[in-house]
Amino acid sequence: MDRSLICPRFEKAMSILSQRWTGLVIYQLLTGPQRFCHIESSIGISGRVLSERLKDLEHEGIVKREVFPETPVRIEYSLTEKGAALEPLMNEIEKWSQNWLEAQN
Amino acid sequence: MDRSLICPRFEKAMSILSQRWTGLVIYQLLTGPQRFCHIESSIGISGRVLSERLKDLEHEGIVKREVFPETPVRIEYSLTEKGAALEPLMNEIEKWSQNWLEAQN
């Protein structure tokens, strides 16, 4: 296996996922498309930070933002195919953290 | 599912894994116990940084350091059970990064 090829991609993946809240935002979106305020209240993140994270994730092609021209306008966030492909990884992080980390930490 | 319980553990897992090089050090140790200089040259990390990362990982109970009383003394690093349990997660990070991230980034 050629580590010199894996290394930059592996590190890039870690650098995307390692931003505080990013994992939880993706984790939350695995349950389906949802509005900003729903994500905000579900994970208890501040609106300002959530807005930043969603922009970063859109930029990485992991999240998409859709505007539905209703009255009032409805805006929903969902995972792209690239984002949905993170599901097994998210499940593994959850599994490991449940098995090996203390609840109080 | 109770996010309020998952959240701190999930975040703790991300905070451990998200340190630069940590993922690669664990990934490298999945191939078996090895000496400091072998890890150093395999992943192209500086000795100073590797030393810090190994100490952090020992502190988290993910890596263990064994001293074999030979002449000269042999010191090997390996994954604990908690560290080895990260294998599926590491594989998922690798898979996702290979499928979805550009080699040049």
Side-chain angles (χ1 to χ4, degrees), chain A residues 20-35 37-45 50 79 87 90-91 93-95 97-98 102-104, chain B residues 1-12:
Chain A
R20 196 168 140 81
W21 294 104
T22 292
L24 283 172
V25 171
I26 296 169
Y27 200 77
Q28 178 63 30
L29 287 174
L30 285 171
T31 62
Q34 49 211 276
R35 294 181 184 206
C37 56
H38 182 77
I39 309 170
E40 192 178 5
S41 62
S42 297
I43 64 179
I45 186 176
L50 178 56
L79 295 174
E87 184 159 19
M90 292 291 135
N91 290 339
I93 296 173
E94 194 200 331
K95 235 188 281 175
S97 68
Q98 295 271 18
E102 298 294 322
Q104 310 296 336
Chain B
M1 192 177 305
D2 188 346
R3 287 281 149 87
S4 65
L5 266 178
I6 290 172
C7 164
R9 286 196 270 200
F10 193 97
E11 285 221 46
K12 169 80 177 164

Side-chain angles (χ1 to χ4, degrees), chain B residues 57-72:
Chain B
L57 288 167
E58 254 187 280
H59 178 73
E60 296 292 348
I62 289 171
V63 161
K64 65 170 180 280
R65 178 180 184 275
E66 280 177 296
V67 181
F68 298 89
E70 299 166 1
T71 312

